[in-house]
Amino acid sequence: MTAVTGQPVAAGKQICLLLSETGLFTKERGSVMRIEDATVLVTGGNRGIGKSLVAEALARGARKVYAAARNPEAVTNPDAVPVALDITDPASITAAAERLTDVDILINNAGVHLGGEILVDELDKIRREMEVNYFGPLQVSRAFAPILAANNGHLLTINSGLSWAVVPDYSSYSATKAASWMMTNALRLELVAHGVGVTSLHVGWTDTDMVAHRSDEKVPPAQVAREAFAGIEADALEVVVGEGASQLKAALALDPSVLYGAR
């Protein structure tokens, strides 16, 4: 591969050229996914953003919505189909994939925030975050990839504005979401040849239990759900929800000292 040199804009154009030479972005996808009459699987579908995703899919006319949770009894939407799924348990994932062969749209939503400072938190806690926020969605995506390919389906992962920056008390969480962002990009590269669309959604502080202690302005979960499904129907590669996430994405182009200060 040719070395990338020169100014940032020129380097960006060269990277795009190198990617285009693979032919991955010239392959045709099938018909654009519609939520109406589709079968949707939402992990973590019992609360927070997941609960709103389930409600929004039903409101848009989905034929069937599987609301997955470790405890399916926690699913309260009477029109959803509760599904037992622990995204950190390979046997649970395999069982779900063997049973739910009609899934058109997979939404990797389940996630946790457990940590604080990456230098002092217990490693077991940090590993648990990575298991849930990275390896869990990866395992679910791998298990359902053949199903999505057979159904000309779509995959969306709920990532975060913190995929792009670190803030105090969210060090390990940001690391997991950065990994999940790159995982989603990698899945896109590998699934496009199979006719599967892949979307990465990034949102800032959302009005859920996870950040109930924060006084920052928060995005309503219902807004996240609306923009998620709009993105799927538009075959968007990326959906950025809220001003906070938009500002963090824009900051990627800045020198790191702007975000983290000079030494």
Side-chain angles (χ1 to χ4, degrees):
M1 181 178 286
T2 306
V4 176
T5 59
Q7 297 301 312
V9 173
K13 289 181 179 178
Q14 193 169 355
I15 290 170
C16 291
L17 177 61
L18 291 170
L19 286 172
S20 68
E21 288 173 353
T22 67
L24 288 170
F25 299 111
T26 60
K27 291 184 170 67
E28 291 291 331
R29 281 248 299 133
S31 58
V32 175
M33 177 60 61
R34 299 298 178 201
I35 312 307
E36 187 175 7
D37 292 329
T39 298
V40 182
L41 168 61
V42 180
T43 68
N46 59 310
R47 60 190 295 189
I49 294 174
K51 186 174 182 178
S52 291
L53 287 163
V54 169
E56 182 67 17
L58 290 165
R60 287 175 179 253
R63 179 189 308 114
K64 186 186 301 181
V65 179
Y66 296 116
R70 284 180 298 170
N71 175 17
E73 294 179 357
V75 175
T76 57
N77 191 314
D79 297 319
V81 180
V83 173
L85 176 60
D86 180 347
I87 66 169
T88 66
D89 180 357
S92 177
I93 295 168
T94 298
E98 289 176 349
R99 175 184 165 201
L100 310 181
T101 58
D102 56 345
V103 171
D104 300 303
I105 299 171
L106 167 63
I107 300 183
N108 286 316
N109 165 72
V112 295
H113 167 242
L114 302 173
E117 297 182 7
I118 206 165
L119 279 177
V120 298
D121 270 349
E122 296 177 4
L123 278 176
D124 286 346
K125 186 187 293 184
I126 294 172
R127 287 193 179 99
R128 176 64 180 172
E129 269 191 328
M130 190 64 79
E131 285 291 337
V132 175
N133 294 347
Y134 175 76
F135 287 108
L138 176 58
Q139 291 180 101
V140 173
S141 299
R142 285 163 59 106
F144 278 88
I147 296 169
L148 295 177
N151 297 341
N152 193 35
H154 201 103
L155 182 153
L156 181 143
T157 298
I158 301 292
N159 285 311
S160 173
L162 295 182
S163 299
W164 300 322
V166 179
V167 298
D169 298 323
Y170 287 82
S171 299
S172 57
Y173 178 83
S174 296
T176 68
K177 287 301 185 176
S180 179
W181 173 40
M182 284 295 114
M183 174 198 71
T184 308
N185 290 333
L187 288 170
R188 182 181 300 115
L189 290 178
E190 297 186 20
L191 287 172
V192 67
H194 302 284
V196 178
V198 177
T199 300
S200 182
L201 184 145
H202 299 261
V203 63
W205 306 122
T206 309
D207 193 10
T208 64
D209 293 343
M210 185 182 292
V211 294
H213 62 287
R214 300 192 66 95
S215 59
D216 308 76
E217 184 176 348
K218 299 168 187 173
V219 177
Q223 179 183 343
V224 180
R226 288 193 300 270
E227 297 197 32
F229 286 113
I232 290 173
E233 292 195 326
D235 206 17
L237 303 186
E238 185 175 87
V239 174
V240 181
V241 183
E243 183 62 26
S246 296
Q247 290 177 357
L248 288 173
K249 180 170 185 185
L252 285 172
L254 303 176
D255 187 275
S257 63
V258 176
L259 285 176
Y260 305 113
R263 184 175 173 185

